[in-house]
Amino acid sequence: MIALASPALAQDGATGQDASGATSGSSSTDGEPQAEEIIVSGYRQSLRTAIAAKRNANRVVEELAAEDLGKLPEASIAEALARLPGLTTNRDRGNGTQISIRGMGPNLVNTLLNGREIASAEGSRNIRYEQFPAELISGASVYKTPTGSQVEGAIAGQVDLKTVRPLDYDETKVALNARAIYSDLAKDVQDTAPWGYIASASVVTQLLDNTLGLAVGYSGRRQSVATVRTNIFRYTNSFADLDGDGAGAPGHGGAAQDDIPYGYEALERGGDDIRHGAVAAVQWKPSDKFELNGDFLYSHVSFEETQRGFRVGSLAFGNNITDVTTRNGYVTGATITGEQDFGQTISGVNENFFFKDDLYAGGMNATWRPSDGWEITGDVGYSTTTRNQQYLTLQTDPFGFRPTASFQSGNDSVPVMTINSDMTDPSLWRVARFQIPNGAAARIKDNLLTLTGDVRREIGEGPLAALQFGVRHTERTKTYTAMSQFGDIALADRQVLDPSLINGPYRFKGEFANLPAVQSLDIVRTVESLFGPINPQQSVYDQTSSWRVKEKTSALYGQVDLEGTIFGVPFNGNVGLRVVRTETDSRSTSLFQDPNGVVVTPIVVKNEFYDWLPSLNLTLKPTSKLQVRFAASQAIARPPLDDLNAGSGLFDFGTPTANGGNPLLEPFRAKQLDATVEWYFDRDSALTISGFYKELGTYITRQVTERQLTDVNGNPQTVAFTQPVNGSGGSIKGFEVGLQKAFTFLPAPFDGFGVYMNYSYTTSDITVSEADNALGATPLPGLSKHVGNASLYYSKSGFEARIAFRYRSAYVTELGDTDRILFNAPESVLDFQTSYEFPTDSRLAGVKLLFQANNLTDEPFETYYGDRNLQGRFEKFGRRVLVGVGYNF
């Protein structure tokens, strides 16, 4: 429900209008006389505009827009969106990157830019929101119920990001912003610096008697990547009663067999998070009958990171295991010494990871109004993105001895991990190998063309307010090329490393200070000196992970806009039908391997399907302050593109197994009902209650199925095939409550206070499971039952302050460190922001000072294996502080 005032809606002088059309100082949005009112601006005005935008919408929608040019409320678009009712964001490297809506993960969310789908550098369709500079985005609409005219592809909701329209401003404006960023954790981490920056400049101007508008903008950012974490790896059956209690873990038929982690690790990660972005827009409106809009966005995002730490593996077999502690048959602590060659492995690790994304997106939109009531619109858009990514690990192993290691894990704290050898000693721990594992280096390219045509005819009589129909066509091609490289040194040939390649020891600090220290190496120079140039190539095993998917969609729709009265009660809304055809062409490689060798075969799979998507949105207005909304619709979300990979691998070494993608996947499909009650009890206040119900016919998840496959000799084999499938569906339901209130009834200066709060509850009977998942069926990935936001703000006389709390209850993660499903622990994030803008009669008019502090309590990111005491990842991101100045003139 919250929005921040866009230039077109912001008040203009003493007689400006807000989005409801009410003139400040004379009347209220509900038509009741009101005493003369002081003009407000900034955050409070944005909340007032939010009420008007919510009130006037023809469906269930949330709005986010900048107060002014370059003034979104958060440094991250994802974190700004996460303040809205029912929206949440994950935390990756401490940043909000992807959005979940109403408990449904990013796979069920569709993201647009200026109404157009955009290419994605992820293997799926998901968008990483940090690629969009917040300083260059003017706002966003979050559509929770669809219409016939809306682009299909979302079940949870659709986010439409918007760049500036120059003629929305009535004068030339220049915005300059500069902020220093400080990460308090970065000082304890190698390979990064605690200080960074954000700098942006935007210009909007109008020419030719305000018929031609131009806008350009640039934003650059460098901030540190600084995290420290531990991981307990997935649990596996030890086939032994390790604690001697005569009982074992669930799932073993009552046998006394405990499950033990495959291993564990501790890593610090440091590096640079760099982003450069630019936008340009042109708007030409020579008359009321014709308008032309063009827009372009470029974004470059790069992460360059180095990790230092250690990794322990192969705990289950070939070891002497003592001092065992368990919880319900799961080992949570032990002391282990390897006794066999296949037993415990311990390595110091020096790793680097990078990805570099370049996105180009643009389009042209023309609207012609040949006569009163008619409107014809055409739109063409094209976006392309490329990503280059690589993960490399350089490992040092103990030379000629088997050390003993121990661990003890719990929850909400750093686990105890010890190794009885000095891992910083280069004579004891020598370089053994480097790896760019299969698929760890990749090139991704995505091209997307969209063509849209719409015709609208206003009627304005009776309940039929307007008729609208249109067509849309898209063509998309995405390629994913996987690569790898390996180097290994035989035990007898491992030498003490040249001292010039050793940076020195790395010692963990802060909460992690008791973890073992490790060698810090110059990774690239060490690899090149020992193994030669770093040059990953596509191996035969990478071919099944490499793919190309072509997708074409064609859509027709018709929509009727409604407006009138029912039994004397005013109403408006729309009813529509959208028919969509989707065609896919997936190409990859089928691989077969047995003791006699490897055979690969190119494979092509085509598929097509149709969807009929009806929708209804209806708003009743029983009083000037109360309105009730109803919505019913059918929606789809297409499968992730990487799940459509036609590649597969069949391996037969006695027990045949296979894995791969599924190019014949059908989309997620859902039938949806929504109802909301909205009470606008004054210009600054609203209470909304919303309920929703979604029935998904299928949910795509990765499962093991029995399939008949043919080997290279033409012989059929029944194999356990792991692939994404259209699994069972089910219901998702919940409700949302939102309240915003400015305390204008308080005496000055306390009348500048106000609150903004929302809470959502979501539940589902959909469950998923993965191969080798000892947890059994788990809840829907990404679904948090409880999500809440609470903000207390003060806004008056140019001074603003806001403290904001965000809570998300536990959920099944889609960002696992292992091949097991993990749960994310509940998160509570506290942020603070304050600013001061000098008055218009000041010599510093137009200058705004800003201070912002994020993650004040240094909330950890923690995962676990079903039971809160079976810890997975424990990670700290630290606090981030921004101090800056802005100047608008």
Side-chain angles (χ1 to χ4, degrees), residues 619-662:
T619 303
L620 301 175
K621 302 180 179 180
T623 73
S624 61
K625 296 183 177 181
L626 180 68
Q627 59 188 35
V628 181
R629 299 183 189 270
F630 299 97
S633 60
Q634 188 160 324
I636 63 168
R638 294 187 178 90
L641 288 165
D642 48 357
D643 282 351
L644 295 175
N645 175 17
S648 63
L650 172 59
F651 306 91
D652 186 1
F653 294 93
T655 303
T657 61
N659 60 75
N662 186 351

Side-chain angles (χ1 to χ4, degrees), residues 6 92 135 245 264 303 347 353 426 455 463 469 509 539 655 715 719 724 861 867:
S6 68
D92 180 20
E135 303 81 20
D245 66 353
Y264 52 92
F303 283 84
S347 297
F353 170 75
V455 177
F469 57 90
K509 298 179 181 178
S539 72
T655 303
N715 301 316
V719 301
F861 177 88
D867 184 329

Side-chain angles (χ1 to χ4, degrees), residues 806-819:
R806 186 171 76 242
Y807 174 78
R808 182 178 188 181
S809 64
Y811 63 98
V812 172
T813 184
E814 297 180 295
L815 301 170
D817 297 305
T818 73
D819 58 359

Side-chain angles (χ1 to χ4, degrees), residues 28-343:
S28 70
T29 56
D30 49 39
E32 297 178 355
Q34 193 173 51
E36 183 175 354
E37 182 178 355
I38 297 174
I39 301 299
V40 298
S41 61
Y43 187 68
R44 179 174 157 189
Q45 172 59 32
S46 71
L47 295 179
R48 179 176 291 180
T49 305
I51 294 176
K54 178 84 170 180
R55 191 173 193 174
N56 296 332
N58 65 352
R59 51 178 156 168
V60 181
V61 63
E62 316 292 350
E63 294 288 339
L64 176 72
E67 298 175 26
D68 205 341
L69 190 64
K71 288 186 178 179
L72 272 182
E74 307 281 353
S76 159
I77 293 174
E79 290 165 4
L81 290 168
R83 304 291 182 198
L84 304 177
L87 276 69
T88 58
T89 182
N90 67 314
R91 292 198 297 156
D92 180 20
R93 302 169 175 86
N95 302 316
T97 59
Q98 296 188 2
I99 291 293
S100 297
I101 301 177
R102 289 179 162 178
M104 289 162 276
N107 285 342
L108 299 182
V109 176
N110 191 24
T111 303
L112 312 177
L113 179 64
N114 293 324
R116 309 178 193 103
E117 281 185 284
I118 48 177
S120 165
E122 298 291 296
S124 60
R125 303 174 191 269
N126 299 345
I127 298 297
R128 292 182 68 100
Y129 282 84
E130 71 259 42
Q131 70 182 306
F132 300 104
E135 303 81 20
L136 303 181
I137 297 296
S138 66
S141 296
V142 181
Y143 301 114
K144 292 183 175 178
T145 61
T147 64
S149 60
Q150 178 181 317
V151 175
E152 76 284 346
I155 290 176
Q158 187 171 84
V159 180
D160 186 7
L161 303 175
K162 300 171 184 177
T163 56
V164 66
R165 291 284 181 93
L167 295 182
D168 286 350
Y169 295 81
D170 57 8
E171 60 184 355
T172 297
K173 300 203 72 172
V174 178
L176 305 174
N177 290 282
R179 302 178 189 178
I181 310 172
Y182 178 76
S183 168
D184 71 341
L185 185 62
K187 65 182 185 300
D188 295 334
V189 172
Q190 283 191 358
D191 310 297
T192 191
W195 287 98
Y197 71 90
I198 300 176
S200 66
S202 302
V203 180
V204 174
T205 191
Q206 302 78 33
L207 306 170
L208 304 179
D209 294 327
N210 288 336
T211 62
L212 178 65
L214 302 173
V216 294
Y218 164 79
S219 175
R221 182 190 72 188
R222 183 270 167 194
Q223 65 182 13
S224 63
V225 174
T227 77
V228 186
R229 74 180 187 271
T230 59
N231 284 320
I232 306 296
F233 296 149
R234 64 178 177 85
Y235 278 84
T236 188
N237 191 356
S238 69
F239 295 95
D241 183 10
L242 296 177
D243 60 1
D245 66 353
H252 301 318
Q257 298 173 356
D258 294 322
D259 279 7
I260 190 170
Y262 172 80
Y264 52 92
E265 68 181 2
L267 297 167
E268 63 84 24
R269 175 167 54 184
D272 290 329
D273 168 4
I274 297 172
R275 185 196 65 206
H276 297 283
V279 296
V282 59
Q283 185 177 11
W284 183 43
K285 192 174 182 181
S287 70
D288 291 337
K289 290 189 174 184
F290 183 76
E291 182 177 344
L292 184 69
N293 282 279
D295 58 82
F296 170 79
L297 180 141
Y298 167 70
S299 174
H300 169 82
V301 175
S302 66
F303 283 84
E304 299 186 25
E305 305 169 344
T306 302
Q307 295 190 135
R308 319 280 187 184
F310 61 87
R311 186 170 295 125
V312 181
S314 300
L315 303 189
F317 310 111
N319 300 309
N320 177 32
I321 305 176
T322 60
D323 302 324
V324 176
T325 61
T326 61
R327 180 176 175 83
N328 300 324
Y330 293 92
V331 175
T332 57
T335 299
I336 301 174
T337 304
E339 294 184 333
Q340 304 292 333
D341 290 342
F342 55 86

Side-chain angles (χ1 to χ4, degrees), residues 435-704:
Q435 299 177 349
I436 301 175
N438 291 114
R443 296 192 188 100
I444 306 171
K445 188 171 183 62
D446 194 8
N447 300 317
L448 177 59
L449 172 69
T450 65
L451 301 169
T452 304
D454 301 277
V455 177
R456 177 180 172 84
R457 169 59 173 164
E458 293 184 4
I459 299 174
E461 296 181 2
L464 302 181
L467 298 175
Q468 187 173 344
F469 57 90
V471 297
R472 181 173 180 268
H473 179 75
T474 73
E475 295 188 6
R476 185 173 199 165
T477 301
K478 190 160 198 167
T479 59
Y480 188 103
T481 304
M483 296 166 290
S484 59
Q485 187 179 1
F486 299 88
D488 192 84
I489 302 176
L491 179 62
D493 296 330
R494 297 172 188 172
Q495 302 295 320
V496 177
L497 201 61
D498 186 326
S500 68
L501 301 175
I502 303 174
N503 299 326
Y506 173 75
R507 305 184 190 282
F508 291 88
K509 298 179 181 178
E511 293 180 60
F512 299 81
N514 290 326
L515 296 171
V518 297
Q519 293 181 66
S520 171
L521 307 181
D522 186 320
I523 298 172
V524 173
R525 289 180 57 223
T526 301
V527 171
E528 290 179 344
S529 67
L530 297 179
F531 304 97
I534 299 172
N535 186 26
Q537 301 293 317
Q538 187 179 72
S539 72
V540 65
Y541 297 103
D542 294 316
Q543 292 183 32
T544 62
S545 300
S546 301
W547 47 266
R548 189 203 71 183
V549 173
K550 284 189 173 182
E551 181 181 77
K552 294 182 180 180
T553 72
S554 300
L556 296 171
Y557 80 88
Q559 180 176 309
V560 178
D561 291 348
L562 307 172
E563 188 170 5
T565 59
I566 300 176
F567 303 112
V569 177
F571 77 92
N572 61 32
N574 53 77
V575 59
L577 175 64
R578 191 174 187 91
V579 182
V580 188
R581 180 191 183 193
T582 304
E583 302 173 83
T584 59
D585 178 305
S586 180
R587 301 180 180 227
S588 185
T589 301
S590 174
L591 180 148
F592 174 80
Q593 183 178 20
D594 65 9
N596 297 317
V598 177
V599 177
V600 295
T601 306
I603 185 170
V604 179
V605 180
K606 299 178 183 292
N607 192 26
E608 70 174 75
F609 46 84
Y610 288 82
D611 286 282
W612 295 68
L613 307 174
S615 61
L616 169 68
N617 291 275
L618 188 64
T619 303
L620 301 175
K621 302 180 179 180
T623 73
S624 61
K625 296 183 177 181
L626 180 68
Q627 59 188 35
V628 181
R629 299 183 189 270
F630 299 97
S633 60
Q634 188 160 324
I636 63 168
R638 294 187 178 90
L641 288 165
D642 48 357
D643 282 351
L644 295 175
N645 175 17
S648 63
L650 172 59
F651 306 91
D652 186 1
F653 294 93
T655 303
T657 61
N659 60 75
N662 186 351
L664 298 177
L665 283 173
E666 296 282 316
F668 302 89
R669 293 187 173 100
K671 297 177 180 178
Q672 309 179 131
L673 294 173
D674 286 81
T676 71
V677 178
E678 303 167 2
W679 181 29
Y680 301 92
F681 42 97
D682 63 49
R683 290 189 69 184
D684 294 293
S685 307
L687 173 66
T688 64
I689 302 174
S690 304
F692 60 91
Y693 178 86
K694 300 175 185 289
E695 185 68 33
L696 271 67
T698 181
Y699 189 85
I700 298 172
T701 183
R702 198 167 185 86
Q703 292 183 356
V704 179

